[in-house]
Amino acid sequence: MRLRYPCAMLSRRTLLGSVAALAARRVFAFGDAARVSFAQIRHAGRWDPRPDGLSRLAWEISKRTSIETSPVVKSIALADPDLFRYPFSVFSSDQAVPAPADSEIAELRRYLSYGGYLLLDDASAARGSGFEQSARQIVSRIVPGGQLARVPRDHVLYKSFYLLDGPAGRVASTPDLEGLELGGRLAILYSGNDLVGALARDSLGTWEFEVTPGGELQREKAIRLGVNVAMYALCLDYKEDQVHIPFIMKRRRI
């Protein structure tokens, strides 16, 4: 089963026609089963340092885009075959992670080769952290000899929904996102700035962490980056279609 969200495989005309048809028949929707859900990968370390961050990202995506998301984030082990039900997964910690077993790496490789998308989010937001080293080792095992490389600023990731000029997160620690391409697409993304942490709220609904050094403007940029990452994971490079240029330029002027 391919994991790619349908808009990656349809022409824009076909996609818009399908959306219109679905809107006309909205009363017959499939409910929560039709919503996009995110997966938080469990590992042998501190695997969920920002428990509410992904739920908030799902809420922001649903509010800001036409994609319907579920606020329920699935915690799932690397060896669980249900991982293949989730097109967007997050592997995170704020410390070094024990090395996954070879069988887990093999399943993760298969998940990515089938179209899955993996965000490696460093919750420590510290350059050269234990998690960063763990993440680089995992990438080199997924693709023997593979290395994370800088995502250029003109990559479609930075314009998949919002026009952005660079990364953001809870802390402005690293100036670039890094990633690994598989089959011509960015399949793994590494964020060293605690992207999910910038979105986390506590039980009272207030932001859980300060965002430094840029404050709330930086938080908004982090939210927009999260939306872009999810849109890219689900739709790949549809924004490269020239028909979107007038819409993008109009948004830029707002």
Side-chain angles (χ1 to χ4, degrees), residues 147-165:
Q147 295 183 348
L148 292 169
R150 173 182 176 269
V151 178
R153 296 296 174 86
D154 61 353
H155 193 280
V156 69
L157 177 73
Y158 286 119
K159 53 185 175 180
S160 60
F161 192 77
Y162 291 104
L163 288 169
L164 301 176
D165 58 4

Side-chain angles (χ1 to χ4, degrees), residues 165-208:
D165 58 4
R170 177 179 61 83
V171 179
S173 177
T174 59
D176 292 295
L177 295 169
E178 294 182 74
L180 180 75
E181 289 195 352
L182 293 175
R185 67 182 179 90
L186 191 63
I188 301 175
L189 183 70
Y190 172 77
S191 168
N193 296 318
D194 190 12
L195 174 60
V196 178
L199 282 74
R201 290 181 180 267
D202 62 23
S203 59
L204 298 177
T206 56
W207 297 116
E208 191 170 356

Side-chain angles (χ1 to χ4, degrees), residues 38-42 47-48 73-77 80 86:
F38 299 144
Q40 179 84 44
I41 294 178
R42 297 196 307 269
W47 59 271
D48 194 14
V73 176
K74 175 68 172 180
S75 63
I76 195 165
D80 191 328
Y86 300 90

